[in-house]
Amino acid sequence: MFKMHFQVIKDYFYNQIYEEVHKSFPSFFSVFDKEDGAYPLLGELGCFILKHSDKKDIIEQTIDFINKALQKGEYETEDAIIIEMFSKLYEDSILADNIERGLYGKALILFRKYRKESYEDH
């Protein structure tokens, strides 16, 4: 008999990411459901932020969300944010600079680290 092994994720913020995204970005509507997981949702959110990078409220919501996520979340949250959001934000250097100016603590450290590794060393 075949048994599937499901990993239990103990990162509370990661498990609530769907609700946190919709609370933080009231104008964002996703094609993904909670059951689709955090990665596609955050990827779609990254595209939404890029598309609306000229709107001050979206920039502020992005900064607040990233700071909160990386302060409250654990490894699973960090991984999802770095892979799905940071990679999109780095595509626009002006947007990335604006976001970086508002980050602090762990969020700022991770943002700078992966920006340098991904885009400035090549």
Side-chain angles (χ1 to χ4, degrees):
M1 174 180 243
F2 178 72
K3 289 185 178 182
M4 292 186 70
H5 175 70
F6 292 97
Q7 181 182 2
V8 176
I9 296 176
K10 296 179 182 173
D11 181 338
Y12 178 78
F13 193 89
Y14 182 87
N15 291 327
Q16 298 300 313
I17 219 152
Y18 185 84
E19 292 82 3
E20 292 290 341
V21 164
H22 291 292
K23 193 182 340 174
S24 298
F25 296 89
S27 61
F28 171 68
F29 297 97
S30 178
V31 299
F32 298 105
D33 295 323
K34 185 174 185 171
E35 294 76 33
D36 294 319
Y39 284 80
L41 176 70
L42 292 173
E44 185 182 33
L45 178 61
C47 292
F48 171 83
I49 294 164
L50 271 176
K51 183 177 178 183
H52 299 287
S53 63
D54 59 329
K55 296 185 174 146
K56 186 178 179 190
D57 62 325
I58 299 296
I59 303 299
E60 290 170 357
Q61 291 165 2
T62 303
I63 291 166
D64 291 344
F65 177 77
I66 292 171
N67 280 326
K68 180 179 181 181
L70 295 177
Q71 177 185 17
K72 294 186 173 200
E74 296 175 30
Y75 175 76
E76 290 84 358
T77 299
E78 287 177 25
D79 200 36
I81 296 285
I82 291 165
I83 291 169
E84 295 297 336
M85 287 187 71
F86 285 6
S87 62
K88 300 271 190 297
L89 301 176
Y90 297 151
E91 291 177 17
D92 181 330
S93 61
I94 294 170
L95 172 63
D97 290 345
N98 288 334
I99 299 280
E100 187 175 319
R101 279 194 278 281
L103 297 178
Y104 59 86
K106 187 180 194 178
L108 180 59
I109 292 165
L110 291 172
F111 193 84
R112 284 181 176 163
K113 176 185 177 188
Y114 289 100
R115 187 177 189 188
K116 183 173 175 38
E117 285 179 10
S118 301
Y119 291 89
E120 295 173 5
D121 287 346
H122 294 40

